[in-house]
Amino acid sequence: MTWDAYYRGDGAVRADTPLPAPPPWRRFPSRPAAEVFRPPVGLIDAVNAALALRRPLLITGGPGTGKSTVIEQVAAELALGPVLRWHITSRSSLAEALYRYDALGRIHAHRLQQERMRPGDEGGRDDIASFLHLGPLGTALLPSSRPRALLIDEIDKADLDLPGDLLDVLERGEFRIAELMREGQDAAHVRMWDTDARHLVENGHVQCTEFPFIVMTSNGEQELPAPFLRRCVRYTMPKPTVALIREVVRGHLNMEVSDTGPTADLVDDFVRRVAAGESVAIDQLLGTLHLLNGPARSEGVERERLIGLLMKDLSGA
């Protein structure tokens, strides 16, 4: 195995040792995912239906199947701008996705102002907008000439109440910033999620003019409420086939998979494992093929050991 050219575990310093070139998808700045993603059968129809109906697209499937990649391609093809991202955990809330108010920061700034004042000075009123920051969903709902693209990743990991709360905002396409309304601020320039640029918010009210293109992903770990599902266009990623995996390998590694041989056997085994219900991802396979056909060329026991290391079932420890 050619690993001997790199780390050897003997403690000797080799400052001039060149490291192997990274795989294409781990080179930075990274190659746009839109260039290599190949949508499976039916996904194009689902995307266009969601665009036409102004409904969120809910994509269900296993890890590494490209659920979160499709929005990159759609945003690139339709010039929707950088993709906004909201990664869901069990602690995620609708409020933080709309906007965040730094009350403690405002109090601290007010105290500093008071400390710097000289006797007889009149304290100026602070700008509450400086302590507001729109979240990914709040930014996506700003009025615009073209819809923004928003990824809500792993919606099935949310608290049980979040889908219902989210549904109300998506149905109305609007929300209000309570702090601006409470202080009667008619106009405020609030910072957006993905940039330092600010957007004018009038009377504390944000109303979209173009409903954002929203992709929500789910691993199927939790059942979502029927009213929520009814308002989504739903698509389930198909199980990978040998033909599909060969196309993915060609796109990512610029490698042709022959009908027979070690690489074909590895692809066939991957498809068989997924069909049997094992949790293995396409990026695991791509990484394995990259190493076995490059920095870690090997045969026999060494090859099998490396495959075992990289192709572990994701549901295990």
Side-chain angles (χ1 to χ4, degrees), residues 29-51:
S30 58
R31 181 183 177 187
E35 295 180 4
V36 295
F37 180 69
R38 300 293 182 268
V41 175
L43 182 55
I44 291 176
D45 289 338
V47 167
N48 285 321
L51 286 166

Side-chain angles (χ1 to χ4, degrees), residues 252-313:
H252 283 275
L253 298 177
N254 196 25
M255 178 193 302
E256 296 292 336
V257 180
S258 60
D259 293 334
T260 59
T263 299
D265 292 341
L266 194 56
V267 169
D268 291 344
D269 185 61
F270 173 81
V271 173
R272 178 194 59 77
R273 290 177 65 183
V274 173
E278 289 191 53
S279 181
V280 283
I282 291 177
D283 56 353
Q284 290 176 272
L285 176 66
L286 292 174
T288 304
L289 291 175
H290 171 74
L291 288 183
L292 292 179
N293 289 277
R297 291 181 183 273
S298 58
E299 296 180 356
V301 175
E302 290 182 333
R303 175 186 174 88
E304 294 304 315
R305 188 169 69 239
L306 186 61
I307 292 174
L309 172 69
L310 299 175
M311 295 297 296
K312 292 180 180 179
D313 190 320

Side-chain angles (χ1 to χ4, degrees), residues 29-90:
S30 58
R31 181 183 177 187
E35 295 180 4
V36 295
F37 180 69
R38 300 293 182 268
V41 175
L43 182 55
I44 291 176
D45 289 338
V47 167
N48 285 321
L51 286 166
L53 295 172
R54 304 302 197 270
R55 291 293 191 185
L57 173 61
L58 174 63
I59 303 179
T60 303
T65 54
K67 300 187 301 297
S68 59
T69 307
V70 62
I71 194 169
E72 297 280 356
Q73 194 172 67
V74 175
E77 287 192 14
L78 300 182
L80 304 183
V83 175
L84 299 160
R85 298 173 181 275
W86 179 21
H87 184 75
I88 300 294
T89 70
S90 60

Side-chain angles (χ1 to χ4, degrees), residues 91-253:
R91 299 181 300 277
S92 296
S93 68
L94 178 64
E96 70 179 16
L98 292 174
Y99 70 92
R100 299 172 187 184
Y101 171 52
D102 185 8
L104 291 179
R106 191 182 185 190
I107 292 172
H108 181 65
H110 181 71
R111 287 177 177 171
L112 288 177
Q113 183 187 48
Q114 294 294 320
E115 291 173 0
R116 292 169 181 168
M117 288 175 56
R118 296 177 179 178
D121 289 348
E122 292 185 6
R125 185 180 180 184
D126 62 353
D127 180 14
I128 186 175
S130 299
F131 304 96
L132 290 168
H133 188 186
L134 293 175
L137 177 57
T139 300
L141 291 173
L142 288 171
S144 59
S145 58
R146 285 183 76 74
R148 290 298 305 267
L150 170 65
L151 174 66
I152 303 179
D153 203 19
E154 299 189 328
I155 185 67
D156 55 324
K157 284 185 167 57
D159 177 85
L160 292 175
D161 293 332
L162 181 58
D165 296 340
L166 177 61
L167 181 61
D168 182 57
V169 172
L170 295 183
E171 283 296 287
R172 294 184 291 108
E174 64 176 349
F175 68 96
R176 298 183 183 276
I177 299 178
E179 289 76 11
L180 292 178
M181 298 177 65
R182 183 169 58 242
E183 298 201 10
Q185 191 157 337
D186 297 335
H189 289 86
V190 182
R191 188 155 54 100
M192 295 185 286
W193 175 252
D194 56 341
T195 175
D196 287 332
R198 294 172 178 266
H199 195 284
L200 176 63
V201 175
E202 297 182 294
N203 301 313
H205 180 221
V206 174
Q207 171 73 70
C208 74
T209 51
E210 286 288 341
F211 187 78
F213 174 63
I214 299 175
V215 170
M216 296 182 286
T217 69
S218 169
N219 293 321
E221 296 180 3
Q222 176 179 292
E223 194 169 319
L224 297 168
F228 180 81
L229 295 176
R230 180 166 58 86
R231 291 170 172 84
C232 297
V233 175
R234 290 177 284 163
Y235 178 83
T236 300
M237 297 294 283
K239 298 287 187 182
T241 63
V242 171
L244 175 63
I245 297 303
R246 287 180 176 178
E247 183 67 23
V248 171
V249 172
R250 184 183 300 112
H252 283 275
L253 298 177

